[in-house]
Amino acid sequence: MNQKTNKNELRKTETKGRILWAAFKLFLAHGYHAVSLMDIEQASQATRGVIYHHFKGKEDLLKSVAEKFVIDFLQSSPPADEIIDAQTPLKSFLDVQILQIKRRMQIFFEQVGPDSGITSATFMSFLLFISEHVADFRERLQAYEEAQAQCWLEAIHQGQERGEIRKEVDTETLYNAFHSVYVGIAFHGAVIHQQFVLDQLREEWDFLYQLAAAH
């Protein structure tokens, strides 16, 4: 009985995941308003009844997509303790951030497929849309940003404590500089290159690091 129940639960979970993933790709490729429930039925190979069993409707699907593919995706970061324990905390932190961004990009584009027509600009446009239409999304994103800022500030502080970064460097100013470079490259890359230019981010972060480093 338990084995049968477990199989049913697993099947339900797989079906729900398939519906979510189909909706996410369709919302990205065509925009939320252009996607119908029939489109999601066809893409997920799930009936309308099955979709309504898992979700209240298209708005509920959008909220669930934002939760799973944006909030959960962003929060899949390595533990800060593993970074802070390094001899050069800030340099190690920067290296891990670069690797994390690269890993996210690889996973994302592997899953959406090379012929989907989905780009970094598409994803950025979707972020702007859900920030306007999904309740509490901005607050959740703000909470994520604040948590990330604390990790950055701690890495910079530890760098100063261990003689990696000059003592007179203002930690918040340095963090804001790193963050502004990231946001600028993300926006410019999405608009101009249709993708995030990771090599440029690495070079400009290294430039800021060298300016702040104790030589």
Side-chain angles (χ1 to χ4, degrees):
M1 181 68 179
N2 287 337
Q3 187 176 5
K4 184 177 180 180
T5 301
N6 289 339
K7 285 183 178 179
N8 288 337
E9 289 301 317
L10 179 61
R11 188 158 47 245
K12 288 179 182 179
T13 300
E14 290 173 347
T15 300
K16 184 176 181 180
R18 192 169 69 248
I19 295 168
L20 274 174
W21 184 242
F24 178 49
K25 289 201 289 186
L26 287 169
F27 292 158
L28 280 174
H30 306 292
Y32 174 78
H33 292 301
V35 176
S36 67
L37 281 175
M38 183 177 293
D39 295 327
I40 297 171
E41 282 182 78
Q42 293 174 347
S44 65
Q45 298 183 325
T47 65
R48 186 73 57 94
V50 169
I51 292 174
Y52 274 112
H53 174 75
H54 293 285
F55 306 98
K56 297 176 183 177
K58 206 169 85 165
E59 287 187 12
D60 189 36
L61 256 172
L62 178 66
K63 181 179 179 181
S64 297
V65 162
E67 180 74 26
K68 181 173 179 61
F69 296 107
V70 180
I71 298 297
D72 288 354
F73 192 60
L74 288 174
Q75 290 178 338
S76 59
S77 299
D81 291 344
E82 295 181 9
I83 302 163
I84 301 305
D85 285 342
Q87 283 298 112
T88 53
L90 183 55
K91 181 66 169 64
S92 299
F93 184 82
L94 293 173
D95 290 342
V96 169
Q97 291 297 310
I98 292 289
L99 288 173
Q100 184 74 353
I101 294 168
K102 182 178 180 180
R103 187 183 70 85
R104 285 174 181 161
M105 290 170 61
Q106 288 174 336
I107 292 172
F108 178 76
F109 287 111
E110 283 173 4
Q111 290 179 334
V112 299
D115 302 321
S116 64
I118 295 170
T119 65
S120 295
T122 310
F123 186 70
M124 184 172 290
S125 178
F126 182 66
L127 280 179
L128 292 173
F129 180 83
I130 59 179
S131 70
E132 293 290 335
H133 294 86
V134 175
D136 299 330
F137 178 77
R138 287 188 181 183
E139 290 78 5
R140 296 285 302 280
L141 199 57
Q142 180 66 31
Y144 165 77
E145 290 284 348
E146 290 174 358
Q148 283 293 294
Q150 289 305 311
C151 290
W152 277 87
L153 293 170
E154 180 62 18
I156 295 169
H157 173 72
Q158 289 295 330
Q160 288 178 319
E161 289 294 307
R162 299 179 193 186
E164 177 192 19
I165 301 300
R166 289 183 285 112
K167 293 285 188 182
E168 65 270 22
V169 171
D170 184 79
T171 56
E172 290 196 14
T173 301
L174 183 56
Y175 160 67
N176 288 332
F178 279 116
H179 185 65
S180 296
V181 165
Y182 171 78
V183 172
I185 289 175
F187 177 79
H188 186 267
V191 173
I192 304 300
H193 303 288
Q194 299 293 297
Q195 63 181 352
F196 193 96
V197 186
L198 193 61
D199 287 342
Q200 183 182 357
L201 179 66
R202 185 184 289 107
E203 289 175 5
E204 296 194 19
W205 272 3
D206 185 62
F207 177 75
L208 288 174
Y209 176 80
Q210 294 302 327
L211 289 178
H215 297 291

